[in-house]
Amino acid sequence: MAQEAVPRGRAYGAALLTLLAPGLGHWLLGRRGRGVALFAIVSVTFLSGLLFDGALFPLRAENWLFRLGGIAEAGSGLLYLLGRLLGLGALEQARVTGVMFGYGNTFLVTAGLMNMLLMMDAFDIAIGRKS
Amino acid sequence: MIPDHVLSMVVFSVLVALFFATVNHRDRAGFWKSAVKTFGWMALGSVAFAWLMYWTA
């Protein structure tokens, strides 16, 4: 049985654009309202993490738990990159021993994981697996 | 930022509930039902877990 050709290039493009900005893939696929809402939710989660004294872990941290955290946070894409470039959420003694450190990290890691999920969601929408 | 455990838990639960409701629901009724349900379970679960930790400490 012949299978219908699926636009894989468009799907990978949508997923990569989501990495650039949360919700951008959805927006370009015609789900404009959803794209804007998702951008707002992921960005607020990320910014809350920074406000709650979370750290943006480097991808090459010595501590393997910090490294895992960095990989998850990097899912936020451009937000993570900008934060690192601006020196936000640096791993300092005062931050690490702060009472809100764990909470802030949870927000930042969750923002990254949310965006990874959005990449897959945009991919599924583009290939027609999801409406 | 105010170091408030309850505030951070509430903000986190609201954001996660809104995220999954937005991803999974297109109709307004389904969206709010899912968001309120997820928020409720997360908030209730957090309080129950905190009480358990307090009780076993």
Side-chain angles (χ1 to χ4, degrees), chain A residues 4-127:
Chain A
E4 197 180 319
V6 284
R8 292 271 163 178
R10 187 165 162 254
Y12 286 115
L16 282 174
L17 285 171
T18 302
L19 187 63
L20 203 65
L24 184 58
H26 290 76
W27 196 77
L28 290 172
L29 289 170
R31 276 74 173 172
R32 303 220 158 163
R34 207 192 293 190
V36 171
L38 291 168
F39 175 79
I41 293 167
V42 175
S43 302
V44 168
T45 307
F46 186 86
L47 292 174
S48 301
L50 291 176
L51 284 173
F52 278 119
D53 261 350
L56 286 175
F57 300 113
L59 291 171
R60 284 187 281 180
E62 279 180 38
N63 184 319
W64 67 272
L65 271 176
F66 284 3
R67 211 177 310 147
L68 277 179
I71 293 168
E73 288 176 355
S76 306
L78 207 58
L79 289 172
Y80 172 82
L81 204 65
L82 276 174
R84 291 278 300 153
L85 286 173
L86 294 171
L88 301 172
L91 265 175
E92 298 155 344
Q93 185 72 20
R95 175 169 285 118
V96 175
T97 54
V99 70
M100 299 304 282
F101 181 64
Y103 291 106
N105 292 336
T106 305
F107 276 83
L108 289 168
V109 165
T110 303
L113 296 178
M114 278 177 174
N115 206 31
M116 288 182 192
L117 198 62
L118 287 187
M119 288 172 70
M120 291 185 263
D121 195 55
F123 185 90
D124 282 348
I125 291 171
I127 62 169

Side-chain angles (χ1 to χ4, degrees), chain B:
Chain B
M1 176 58 77
I2 305 160
D4 191 321
H5 302 272
V6 176
L7 176 72
S8 64
M9 183 268 284
V10 169
V11 172
F12 185 76
S13 301
V14 167
L15 288 167
V16 172
L18 286 177
F19 175 79
F20 282 106
T22 308
V23 169
N24 294 323
H25 296 278
R26 302 204 70 185
D27 58 311
R28 201 171 283 262
F31 172 87
W32 286 113
K33 195 176 165 190
S34 161
V36 169
K37 214 168 165 180
T38 309
F39 172 76
W41 278 115
M42 284 184 75
L44 200 73
S46 305
V47 171
F49 200 65
W51 178 79
L52 197 68
M53 286 196 292
Y54 176 75
W55 187 65
T56 53

